[in-house]
Amino acid sequence: MKRTKIIDLLNRKDFGAEVCVKGWVRTRRGSKSVNFIALNDGSTIKNVQVVADVEKFDAEMLKLITTGACLSVEGTLVESQGAGQSVEIQATKIEVLGTCGADYPMQKKGQSFEYMRQHAHMRLRTNTFGAVFRIRHNMAIAIHKYFHDHGFFYFNTPIITASDCEGAGQMFQVTTKNLYDLKKDKDGKIDYSDDFFGKTTSLTVSGQLEGELGATALGAIYTFGPTFRAENSNTPRHLAEFWMIEPEVAFNDITDNMDLAEDFIKYCVRWALDNCKDDLEFLNKMIDKTLLERLNFVVDHDFVRLTYTDGIKILEDAVKQGHKFEFPVYWGVDLASEHERYLVEQHFKKPVILTDYPKEIKAFYMKMNDDGKTVRAMDVLFPQIGEIIGGSEREESYDKLMARINELSIPMKDMWWYLDTRKFGTCPHSGFGLGFERLILFVTGMQNIRDVIPFPRTPKSADF
């Protein structure tokens, strides 16, 4: 008999039909005469209840039906008498596809998220993580659909690169060299001439620079792929391997960039509300009781736009009025999450787009304002999370870009190709980056970024 997914079965009304479901046991309870088995196959947060008359089944087989065991069940679809479900299955045949012993790490009890991270390969089967990763899938679909519908082209940028987009130097090196016997030059530096690429290469921190090449040929592109930061940050907001979405658009200025960012992020949140209702309701009940309220808050409000300078003044006024921040506030500081959240959650009570940051705290490629002190950067700030999107209008002038590169002493020997975009038919263009996991963190209400990627990579942790 052909298997039916539980998400489809729960919507059926053809009572009396013979059906087959397969999945993993969430719970089993019952009496001497009847057992009730909650079965889940990952297609939905909801379980289907299987009713098994004990006398119809082998007693030894029934003992094997424990939490985590995998079953194939055939039976009759009937209207459910219990609360919380409209249908159930009256079992006629049960096959145990895989037993599950008492040492199964995801037994039904309130394990901590820290505990579950130690068993990340098994946590996927829990209700919470099933909900998170179904939402993650939906967000990926929403991203591709939004950009496709708006005329963008999906553009694949390299994962192995010889350039450091952010100039931070926190990159994972890629090499085939024998690390126990490194060839060095006369100055004692490692000689990479015999390495695979013949030069130093690393895992990418961003696809933006190559994305700019795509935008100046195709008009509007977006990247969506893995990026890597060798940043020794053990925080709830940082990963060493994460996914980034980076649109880049020729002829867009900073205002166009802000309009795109606001429309895009609202679309993604609205998609979640429209397509992940059951999972969001579960997470709203079990993880964060203000989740749905916060998602609707973002969709229902226009984003406030103000300059970094005005934002600093608001924060300084808050300090004068007695508000306590852990980190100091002054013009020129790189805002901490607590500052960003104050502007969003307490002052404006709306999402905020902050613009025109001091050039010293932003990347070399951002377009300078006429004041010579600030650049046309923009950060989108959200409740509970702070910055969720960062972007800018790019500097299109070759001379100005080179002056900034020289000012910062950025090694550009491997970036000649990037500078060519400013030599051959340069144009105004803008873009931004959205950390995919930051988006999932916001949409799910989870508190730790390690819990919204299946297998997190963090300092001293590369399991599974």
Side-chain angles (χ1 to χ4, degrees):
M1 190 184 301
K2 188 177 180 183
R3 172 193 167 220
T4 301
K5 285 187 179 180
I6 289 172
I7 190 171
D8 298 325
L9 187 90
L10 294 176
N11 291 318
R12 286 174 59 169
K13 294 285 186 285
D14 54 334
F15 305 122
E18 294 302 307
V19 296
C20 171
V21 293
K22 299 181 183 186
W24 294 269
V25 176
R26 286 285 195 259
T27 59
R28 174 186 158 216
R29 59 187 175 81
S31 62
K32 289 180 180 179
S33 59
V34 64
N35 278 191
F36 299 97
I37 304 160
L39 206 64
N40 188 284
D41 65 0
S43 62
T44 172
I45 191 76
K46 295 177 178 177
N47 307 321
V48 67
Q49 179 165 276
V50 176
V51 182
D53 291 334
V54 171
E55 62 182 26
K56 295 180 180 177
F57 296 97
D58 178 67
E60 293 304 310
M61 184 275 290
L62 290 175
K63 287 179 184 176
L64 300 176
I65 301 175
T66 58
T67 297
C70 185
L71 306 183
S72 173
V73 176
E74 295 179 15
T76 307
L77 187 70
V78 298
E79 195 166 2
S80 178
Q81 305 304 311
Q85 69 231 359
S86 58
V87 302
E88 61 189 27
I89 298 172
Q90 195 75 44
T92 55
K93 180 182 178 183
I94 299 175
E95 182 184 356
V96 180
L97 300 177
T99 58
C100 191
D103 56 346
Y104 175 51
M106 296 296 140
Q107 295 287 353
K108 184 177 167 55
K109 57 186 177 190
Q111 297 111 334
S112 70
F113 287 125
E114 183 60 44
Y115 169 85
M116 287 198 272
R117 275 175 225 130
Q118 296 166 20
H119 302 278
H121 59 310
M122 286 287 131
R123 69 177 181 168
L124 306 174
R125 293 194 200 168
T126 64
N127 285 334
T128 298
F129 286 95
V132 166
F133 294 123
R134 280 187 294 272
I135 290 171
R136 185 181 169 107
H137 157 80
N138 265 280
M139 288 297 89
I141 296 297
I143 287 160
H144 284 299
K145 181 164 172 52
Y146 177 88
F147 286 121
H148 177 72
D149 289 351
H150 286 78
F152 285 66
F153 298 102
Y154 180 36
F155 190 70
N156 301 122
T157 53
I159 289 173
I160 299 173
T161 179
S163 62
D164 179 358
C165 172
E166 299 300 324
Q170 296 166 322
M171 304 177 77
F172 289 102
Q173 193 171 325
V174 175
T175 182
T176 56
K177 290 178 75 69
N178 179 356
L179 299 182
Y180 296 100
D181 185 22
L182 291 171
K183 179 181 166 186
K184 297 185 178 179
D185 62 20
K186 60 182 187 308
D187 297 322
K189 294 180 179 177
I190 297 170
D191 181 354
Y192 285 95
S193 61
D194 63 341
D195 204 356
F196 189 91
F197 294 105
K199 62 171 77 172
T200 308
T201 54
S202 304
L203 297 177
T204 185
V205 298
S206 165
Q208 180 203 311
L209 303 186
E210 294 90 349
E212 288 185 48
L213 303 182
T216 55
L218 300 170
I221 64 94
Y222 70 104
T223 75
F224 187 0
T227 49
F228 307 86
R229 303 272 168 97
E231 189 178 357
N232 194 14
S233 294
N234 259 313
T235 79
R237 289 161 51 88
H238 289 89
L239 290 166
E241 175 186 302
F242 57 99
W243 287 64
M244 281 267 278
I245 301 99
E246 296 177 295
E248 199 73 33
V249 191
F251 315 115
N252 268 14
D253 63 14
I254 188 68
T255 303
D256 299 321
N257 208 31
M258 289 190 282
D259 291 344
L260 175 64
E262 179 170 348
D263 191 55
F264 165 64
I265 199 78
K266 281 184 171 179
Y267 179 94
C268 290
V269 174
R270 198 176 292 114
W271 182 279
L273 288 166
D274 291 345
N275 294 278
C276 308
K277 187 170 179 287
D278 290 341
D279 288 323
L280 287 176
E281 285 177 353
F282 172 82
L283 293 169
N284 191 81
K285 178 182 175 184
M286 303 300 293
I287 302 297
D288 182 346
K289 290 182 168 45
T290 62
L291 173 61
L292 288 171
E293 178 188 332
R294 200 162 55 251
L295 296 180
N296 282 297
F297 168 89
V298 164
V299 168
D300 293 341
H301 288 90
D302 290 336
F303 294 8
V304 174
R305 301 181 184 189
L306 77 157
T307 66
Y308 168 92
T309 300
D310 289 341
I312 288 291
K313 187 174 185 310
I314 291 168
L315 294 168
E316 287 176 336
D317 288 344
V319 171
K320 287 175 189 172
Q321 290 164 21
H323 189 88
K324 295 276 194 292
F325 290 114
E326 183 183 349
F327 297 101
V329 176
Y330 56 89
W331 197 95
V333 73
D334 198 357
L335 294 180
S337 178
E338 61 172 341
H339 304 139
E340 296 165 340
R341 290 181 60 183
Y342 177 85
L343 294 172
V344 174
E345 296 168 19
Q346 297 187 49
H347 187 83
F348 289 108
K349 295 183 169 58
K350 290 182 179 181
V352 171
I353 305 181
L354 217 54
T355 63
D356 303 305
Y357 282 78
K359 66 179 183 179
E360 286 79 14
I361 60 173
K362 289 297 180 181
F364 74 92
Y365 48 72
M366 296 186 179
K367 187 175 180 68
M368 191 84 69
N369 283 315
D370 294 338
D371 61 13
K373 295 194 307 178
T374 61
V375 291
R376 292 184 194 173
M378 55 147 244
D379 285 349
V380 179
L381 313 180
F382 265 22
Q384 195 154 316
I385 202 164
E387 181 206 335
I388 194 166
I389 284 176
S392 71
E393 185 174 340
R394 319 307 191 190
E395 180 54 73
E396 79 270 19
S397 161
Y398 179 86
D399 292 338
K400 288 180 181 178
L401 186 62
M402 278 307 299
R404 186 78 177 123
I405 286 166
N406 292 331
E407 183 185 338
L408 296 173
S409 302
I410 296 173
M412 296 297 285
K413 63 180 174 59
D414 293 316
M415 302 268 291
W416 56 270
W417 51 268
Y418 179 68
L419 293 168
D420 273 0
T421 58
R422 274 65 171 178
K423 286 169 64 179
F424 305 120
T426 189
C427 70
H429 59 288
S430 299
F432 60 79
L434 166 66
F436 189 44
E437 284 71 28
R438 292 271 177 97
L439 173 63
I440 308 304
L441 207 57
F442 180 75
V443 171
T444 60
M446 299 294 280
Q447 300 300 305
N448 194 312
I449 204 160
R450 302 170 197 210
D451 297 330
V452 295
I453 191 168
F455 307 108
R457 297 289 178 257
T458 53
K460 303 291 187 288
S461 176
D463 298 325
F464 315 112

